[in-house]
Amino acid sequence: MKASHSLGLLILGICLALAGCKGDGTNQPKGTGAKHYDLKGKVVAVDPGKGSVTLDHEDIPGLMKAMKMDFPVEDPKMLEGLKAGDQVQGRLNVESGQYTITHLEKR
Ligand SMILES: [Cu+2]
C-alpha cells in the first residue's frame, strides 16, 4: 500500500518534469545569437562613471562603417589608463542589438 502510493507520486513527478521541459522550449537559451567583432579605432572620450567610451572606429566588416559612437564596456576598469587620442583595438560583443566592448587595449 505504502509502496504503490510512493510510485504514484513518482509518476506524477515525472509528468510534471516533462511538462516543465516542454514549456522551456519556447524560451531562447541565453547566449544564442551573440556575435563578436574585432574593433579598431581612436578614443574620443572616456566616461568611467557611465562605463562607456566614445570611439572613432574603423569599418567593422559585416556590422557597420567607420563612425564616431559611444560603446558601453563590460567592466569600467577596462577604461583605466585610456584617454582621448589613444589608438585602441578590442573586441565587440553584439547580442540582441546590444553592443558591449568585452576587450579593449592600446595599440
Ligand atoms: Cu559604429
Side-chain angles (χ1 to χ4, degrees):
M1 189 69 175
K2 203 177 180 188
S4 70
H5 186 66
S6 298
L7 186 66
L9 282 178
L10 181 67
I11 289 168
L12 180 68
I14 289 169
C15 288
L16 286 174
L18 287 175
C21 257
K22 235 179 183 174
D24 286 342
T26 57
N27 294 328
Q28 287 283 350
K30 212 177 175 216
T32 48
K35 283 186 175 176
H36 306 272
Y37 299 89
D38 286 323
L39 187 66
K40 266 186 192 177
K42 194 177 81 174
V43 176
V44 175
V46 180
D47 190 340
K50 229 173 76 180
S52 74
V53 60
T54 308
L55 295 179
D56 192 351
H57 71 75
E58 295 176 8
D59 278 9
I60 305 174
L63 185 65
M64 62 174 106
K65 293 285 181 192
M67 68 173 86
K68 209 182 274 187
M69 63 187 282
D70 284 345
F71 288 102
V73 293
E74 194 172 47
D75 184 347
K77 280 188 185 134
M78 290 161 55
L79 302 174
E80 280 173 11
L82 288 181
K83 61 181 187 314
D86 284 343
Q87 294 289 333
V88 291
Q89 63 188 19
R91 200 90 171 122
L92 179 66
N93 181 71
V94 181
E95 188 172 5
S96 309
Q98 180 73 42
Y99 301 146
T100 309
I101 291 181
T102 55
H103 179 79
L104 196 63
E105 65 181 18
K106 286 190 210 181
R107 65 187 163 108

mmCIF file of all heavy atoms in Angstrom, residues 70-88:
data_model
loop_
_atom_site.group_PDB
_atom_site.id
_atom_site.type_symbol
_atom_site.label_atom_id
_atom_site.label_comp_id
_atom_site.label_asym_id
_atom_site.label_seq_id
_atom_site.Cartn_x
_atom_site.Cartn_y
_atom_site.Cartn_z
ATOM 1 N N ASP A 70 29.308 55.984 -29.178
ATOM 2 C CA ASP A 70 29.511 55.516 -27.799
ATOM 3 C C ASP A 70 29.363 54.011 -27.734
ATOM 4 O O ASP A 70 28.498 53.439 -28.385
ATOM 5 C CB ASP A 70 28.433 56.104 -26.877
ATOM 6 C CG ASP A 70 28.689 57.561 -26.555
ATOM 7 O OD1 ASP A 70 29.815 58.029 -26.802
ATOM 8 O OD2 ASP A 70 27.762 58.220 -26.057
ATOM 9 N N PHE A 71 30.195 53.397 -26.905
ATOM 10 C CA PHE A 71 30.061 51.966 -26.633
ATOM 11 C C PHE A 71 30.076 51.743 -25.126
ATOM 12 O O PHE A 71 30.934 52.280 -24.436
ATOM 13 C CB PHE A 71 31.255 51.192 -27.206
ATOM 14 C CG PHE A 71 31.273 51.072 -28.699
ATOM 15 C CD1 PHE A 71 32.110 51.881 -29.449
ATOM 16 C CD2 PHE A 71 30.492 50.139 -29.350
ATOM 17 C CE1 PHE A 71 32.159 51.764 -30.825
ATOM 18 C CE2 PHE A 71 30.535 50.011 -30.729
ATOM 19 C CZ PHE A 71 31.365 50.833 -31.470
ATOM 20 N N PRO A 72 29.164 50.930 -24.600
ATOM 21 C CA PRO A 72 29.293 50.541 -23.196
ATOM 22 C C PRO A 72 30.387 49.471 -23.093
ATOM 23 O O PRO A 72 30.544 48.669 -24.015
ATOM 24 C CB PRO A 72 27.924 49.956 -22.850
ATOM 25 C CG PRO A 72 27.220 49.712 -24.143
ATOM 26 C CD PRO A 72 27.966 50.390 -25.245
ATOM 27 N N VAL A 73 31.129 49.486 -22.007
ATOM 28 C CA VAL A 73 32.145 48.459 -21.810
ATOM 29 C C VAL A 73 31.657 47.475 -20.744
ATOM 30 O O VAL A 73 30.859 47.830 -19.878
ATOM 31 C CB VAL A 73 33.513 49.050 -21.377
ATOM 32 C CG1 VAL A 73 34.103 49.869 -22.501
ATOM 33 C CG2 VAL A 73 33.387 49.869 -20.122
ATOM 34 N N GLU A 74 32.144 46.252 -20.848
ATOM 35 C CA GLU A 74 31.719 45.194 -19.931
ATOM 36 C C GLU A 74 32.102 45.533 -18.497
ATOM 37 O O GLU A 74 31.352 45.264 -17.567
ATOM 38 C CB GLU A 74 32.386 43.878 -20.360
ATOM 39 C CG GLU A 74 31.794 42.650 -19.719
ATOM 40 C CD GLU A 74 32.356 41.398 -20.339
ATOM 41 O OE1 GLU A 74 33.594 41.315 -20.501
ATOM 42 O OE2 GLU A 74 31.576 40.507 -20.687
ATOM 43 N N ASP A 75 33.282 46.122 -18.329
ATOM 44 C CA ASP A 75 33.783 46.461 -16.999
ATOM 45 C C ASP A 75 34.463 47.835 -17.066
ATOM 46 O O ASP A 75 35.397 48.011 -17.838
ATOM 47 C CB ASP A 75 34.796 45.386 -16.569
ATOM 48 C CG ASP A 75 35.296 45.592 -15.153
ATOM 49 O OD1 ASP A 75 35.069 46.684 -14.582
ATOM 50 O OD2 ASP A 75 35.925 44.669 -14.621
ATOM 51 N N PRO A 76 33.992 48.815 -16.273
ATOM 52 C CA PRO A 76 34.576 50.157 -16.319
ATOM 53 C C PRO A 76 36.084 50.159 -16.079
ATOM 54 O O PRO A 76 36.781 51.087 -16.484
ATOM 55 C CB PRO A 76 33.846 50.899 -15.198
ATOM 56 C CG PRO A 76 32.557 50.166 -15.028
ATOM 57 C CD PRO A 76 32.868 48.731 -15.339
ATOM 58 N N LYS A 77 36.597 49.113 -15.423
ATOM 59 C CA LYS A 77 38.046 49.024 -15.171
ATOM 60 C C LYS A 77 38.833 48.988 -16.482
ATOM 61 O O LYS A 77 40.009 49.328 -16.518
ATOM 62 C CB LYS A 77 38.363 47.754 -14.360
ATOM 63 C CG LYS A 77 38.101 47.920 -12.891
ATOM 64 C CD LYS A 77 38.625 46.705 -12.121
ATOM 65 C CE LYS A 77 38.241 46.812 -10.654
ATOM 66 N NZ LYS A 77 37.700 45.556 -10.128
ATOM 67 N N MET A 78 38.165 48.523 -17.547
ATOM 68 C CA MET A 78 38.834 48.447 -18.842
ATOM 69 C C MET A 78 39.233 49.824 -19.348
ATOM 70 O O MET A 78 40.061 49.950 -20.232
ATOM 71 C CB MET A 78 37.890 47.791 -19.878
ATOM 72 C CG MET A 78 37.670 46.310 -19.636
ATOM 73 S SD MET A 78 36.192 45.690 -20.485
ATOM 74 C CE MET A 78 36.527 46.197 -22.161
ATOM 75 N N LEU A 79 38.615 50.864 -18.792
ATOM 76 C CA LEU A 79 38.866 52.219 -19.278
ATOM 77 C C LEU A 79 40.038 52.883 -18.564
ATOM 78 O O LEU A 79 40.486 53.955 -18.950
ATOM 79 C CB LEU A 79 37.599 53.072 -19.092
ATOM 80 C CG LEU A 79 36.347 52.542 -19.791
ATOM 81 C CD1 LEU A 79 35.137 53.383 -19.423
ATOM 82 C CD2 LEU A 79 36.546 52.525 -21.293
ATOM 83 N N GLU A 80 40.556 52.232 -17.519
ATOM 84 C CA GLU A 80 41.666 52.798 -16.765
ATOM 85 C C GLU A 80 42.878 52.963 -17.675
ATOM 86 O O GLU A 80 43.247 52.045 -18.408
ATOM 87 C CB GLU A 80 42.025 51.877 -15.584
ATOM 88 C CG GLU A 80 41.080 52.053 -14.410
ATOM 89 C CD GLU A 80 41.327 51.034 -13.312
ATOM 90 O OE1 GLU A 80 42.347 50.321 -13.356
ATOM 91 O OE2 GLU A 80 40.463 50.936 -12.416
ATOM 92 N N GLY A 81 43.480 54.136 -17.625
ATOM 93 C CA GLY A 81 44.676 54.390 -18.422
ATOM 94 C C GLY A 81 44.396 54.812 -19.851
ATOM 95 O O GLY A 81 45.325 55.083 -20.599
ATOM 96 N N LEU A 82 43.135 54.834 -20.230
ATOM 97 C CA LEU A 82 42.794 55.269 -21.591
ATOM 98 C C LEU A 82 42.393 56.740 -21.584
ATOM 99 O O LEU A 82 41.752 57.200 -20.651
ATOM 100 C CB LEU A 82 41.642 54.432 -22.150
ATOM 101 C CG LEU A 82 41.939 52.986 -22.525
ATOM 102 C CD1 LEU A 82 40.679 52.344 -23.071
ATOM 103 C CD2 LEU A 82 43.058 52.894 -23.548
ATOM 104 N N LYS A 83 42.780 57.432 -22.639
ATOM 105 C CA LYS A 83 42.387 58.844 -22.747
ATOM 106 C C LYS A 83 42.148 59.200 -24.208
ATOM 107 O O LYS A 83 42.518 58.436 -25.113
ATOM 108 C CB LYS A 83 43.475 59.721 -22.146
ATOM 109 C CG LYS A 83 44.809 59.588 -22.825
ATOM 110 C CD LYS A 83 45.837 60.485 -22.157
ATOM 111 C CE LYS A 83 47.158 60.507 -22.917
ATOM 112 N NZ LYS A 83 47.667 59.201 -23.342
ATOM 113 N N ALA A 84 41.509 60.352 -24.406
ATOM 114 C CA ALA A 84 41.214 60.806 -25.767
ATOM 115 C C ALA A 84 42.486 60.840 -26.602
ATOM 116 O O ALA A 84 43.542 61.275 -26.128
ATOM 117 C CB ALA A 84 40.578 62.191 -25.709
ATOM 118 N N GLY A 85 42.404 60.346 -27.805
ATOM 119 C CA GLY A 85 43.544 60.350 -28.706
ATOM 120 C C GLY A 85 44.258 59.015 -28.799
ATOM 121 O O GLY A 85 45.029 58.781 -29.726
ATOM 122 N N ASP A 86 44.032 58.126 -27.816
ATOM 123 C CA ASP A 86 44.679 56.809 -27.837
ATOM 124 C C ASP A 86 44.145 55.961 -28.993
ATOM 125 O O ASP A 86 42.945 55.920 -29.237
ATOM 126 C CB ASP A 86 44.416 56.056 -26.520
ATOM 127 C CG ASP A 86 45.259 56.581 -25.369
ATOM 128 O OD1 ASP A 86 46.259 57.282 -25.639
ATOM 129 O OD2 ASP A 86 44.903 56.291 -24.218
ATOM 130 N N GLN A 87 45.060 55.279 -29.668
ATOM 131 C CA GLN A 87 44.668 54.304 -30.687
ATOM 132 C C GLN A 87 44.412 52.991 -29.959
ATOM 133 O O GLN A 87 45.250 52.545 -29.184
ATOM 134 C CB GLN A 87 45.805 54.110 -31.707
ATOM 135 C CG GLN A 87 46.103 55.337 -32.550
ATOM 136 C CD GLN A 87 45.011 55.639 -33.572
ATOM 137 O OE1 GLN A 87 44.305 54.747 -34.013
ATOM 138 N NE2 GLN A 87 44.894 56.907 -33.940
ATOM 139 N N VAL A 88 43.246 52.420 -30.189
ATOM 140 C CA VAL A 88 42.900 51.200 -29.464
ATOM 141 C C VAL A 88 42.392 50.115 -30.409
ATOM 142 O O VAL A 88 41.997 50.370 -31.539
ATOM 143 C CB VAL A 88 41.806 51.463 -28.398
ATOM 144 C CG1 VAL A 88 42.345 52.311 -27.262
ATOM 145 C CG2 VAL A 88 40.576 52.108 -29.032
#
